[in-house]
Amino acid sequence: MSDLGSGDEGISGSKYNASTMEGSSNRNDFDSTGKAGSAVEQELATKMLQIQSKRFYLDVKQNRRGRFIKVAEIGADGRRSQIYLALSTAAEFRDHLSSFSDYYASLAGQNTGPPNTDNLPEDGKLKSEMMIKDNRRYYLDLKENARGRFLRVSQTITRGGPRSQIALPAQGMIEFRDALTDLLEEFGSNDGGFKGELPEERHMKVDNKNFYFDIGQNNRGVYMRISEVKNNFRTSITIPEKCWTRFRDIFNDYCDKMKKSSDSITADNNLATTANSLK
């Protein structure tokens, strides 16, 4: 009996081939444009692990948003699943792997026989954790089924989209952690991007409307969110930092034009008043 987790419910994939392994035809949240194959992406390092009947590829990649790790699982039947981790998330995941490994070792010491599914929770979960990075959530579940124990790692995107997940045999957690550690020691856990202190939020009120200006940052970079709140209804726009200057120039242009128009009307009114006074 092995700890092979490929029998976990809901794990989907596609037949593996060399071109898809490089991620050139796959859409992911670390893409610079959100379109398949459109990001200029550089592979910095890769590691391959053979854990029982599965192969795991850990690829350190870089694009204009920063560095990240793509983790791809290739099953014995060629089926492929993958998740994406920012370097800071990979460091957090590595630490969780140590905790899960210790817990798995304690379970292994209590039971040297085949898995006993009679005493399992209904969902098969033995231990769970969650990680959050920007608009992504990662669910870590150590589970057990008739084939053994495995760690299921699921990635979801809060704004919608499919769930992607891999299943790591429990016996391979330490080997996987050590491979992650090697990559993080070489490349660090810094995701890249702006590292300074972001400006504080601003607020102003005009008549019965409130306007909020919030500066934030995600894997795409720094942005400004401008929100209009009126009678408990909120509408917002998000402006990437790279176009703030252009946005300002357009706004200033409109301000100048409105000022000239207003000055012209004022001058005309003054002229009319003077003319009327001379009659």
Side-chain angles (χ1 to χ4, degrees):
M1 192 71 66
S2 73
D3 288 340
L4 183 63
S6 60
D8 185 33
E9 65 278 14
I11 296 181
S12 60
S14 59
K15 288 292 183 180
Y16 164 77
N17 58 61
S19 62
T20 57
M21 188 61 218
E22 291 302 318
S24 59
S25 62
N26 291 288
R27 185 171 181 174
N28 66 78
D29 197 47
F30 290 86
D31 228 334
S32 63
T33 63
K35 296 181 180 179
S38 59
V40 178
E41 199 170 83
Q42 178 185 4
E43 184 171 299
L44 305 178
T46 186
K47 281 183 175 289
M48 194 277 286
L49 304 176
Q50 183 75 43
I51 302 177
Q52 296 183 0
S53 62
K54 295 184 176 185
R55 282 176 294 155
F56 291 89
Y57 291 84
L58 286 72
D59 300 325
V60 181
K61 293 179 173 288
Q62 177 175 288
N63 60 24
R64 61 184 296 271
R65 296 180 190 166
R67 293 177 175 178
F68 60 94
I69 297 178
K70 181 180 75 173
V71 181
E73 170 200 335
I74 313 298
D77 60 354
R79 295 184 68 83
R80 175 175 178 271
S81 303
Q82 62 188 25
I83 62 172
Y84 296 85
L85 303 167
L87 293 184
S88 58
T89 309
E92 184 180 355
F93 181 39
R94 173 201 56 194
D95 296 339
H96 281 304
L97 281 173
S98 295
S99 175
F100 277 100
S101 297
D102 291 342
Y103 183 77
Y104 170 67
S106 69
L107 293 177
Q110 297 172 11
N111 182 15
T112 57
N116 181 7
T117 57
D118 294 336
N119 298 325
L120 286 178
E122 186 175 345
D123 58 4
K125 295 180 182 179
L126 303 172
K127 176 179 171 62
S128 297
E129 296 288 351
M130 183 179 71
M131 304 184 300
I132 299 176
K133 173 66 175 177
D134 298 328
N135 65 334
R136 296 179 299 279
R137 291 176 182 267
Y138 299 86
Y139 299 92
L140 316 179
D141 299 305
L142 182 63
K143 304 187 70 174
E144 182 173 352
N145 59 21
R147 280 181 285 273
R149 294 166 179 156
F150 58 93
L151 180 66
R152 185 179 67 183
V153 183
S154 303
Q155 172 189 318
T156 64
I157 302 175
T158 55
R159 65 171 179 264
R163 172 189 291 250
S164 54
Q165 54 192 29
I166 62 171
L168 174 64
Q171 291 178 345
M173 288 191 293
I174 293 179
E175 183 180 358
F176 195 98
R177 180 202 64 190
D178 291 345
L180 265 185
T181 298
D182 290 343
L183 293 174
L184 290 169
E185 286 180 349
E186 181 176 356
F187 296 99
S189 58
N190 190 330
D191 299 329
F194 182 76
K195 293 296 176 290
E197 183 177 352
L198 296 176
E200 294 182 357
E201 66 177 37
R202 300 287 295 274
H203 164 257
M204 73 178 202
K205 186 172 184 178
V206 180
D207 299 328
N208 63 340
K209 294 183 178 181
N210 287 283
F211 293 91
Y212 297 89
F213 302 81
D214 301 297
I215 309 300
Q217 182 177 14
N218 56 24
N219 63 294
R220 296 180 180 86
V222 178
Y223 61 89
M224 176 189 297
R225 178 176 291 114
I226 304 176
S227 303
E228 173 192 338
V229 180
K230 178 183 178 182
N231 298 331
N232 295 326
F233 288 97
R234 176 188 292 263
T235 56
S236 301
I237 61 171
T238 301
I239 308 167
E241 187 269 340
K242 63 183 179 182
C243 65
W244 286 1
T245 301
R246 179 61 177 154
F247 192 92
R248 179 202 62 194
D249 292 343
I250 293 174
F251 197 82
N252 283 341
D253 184 54
Y254 278 119
C255 289
D256 291 341
K257 288 178 178 179
M258 289 301 296
K259 185 177 186 303
K260 289 178 181 179
S261 178
S262 178
D263 290 345
S264 177
I265 293 173
T266 300
D268 289 343
N269 289 337
N270 291 338
L271 184 61
T273 300
T274 302
N276 288 334
S277 67
L278 296 176
K279 290 181 180 179

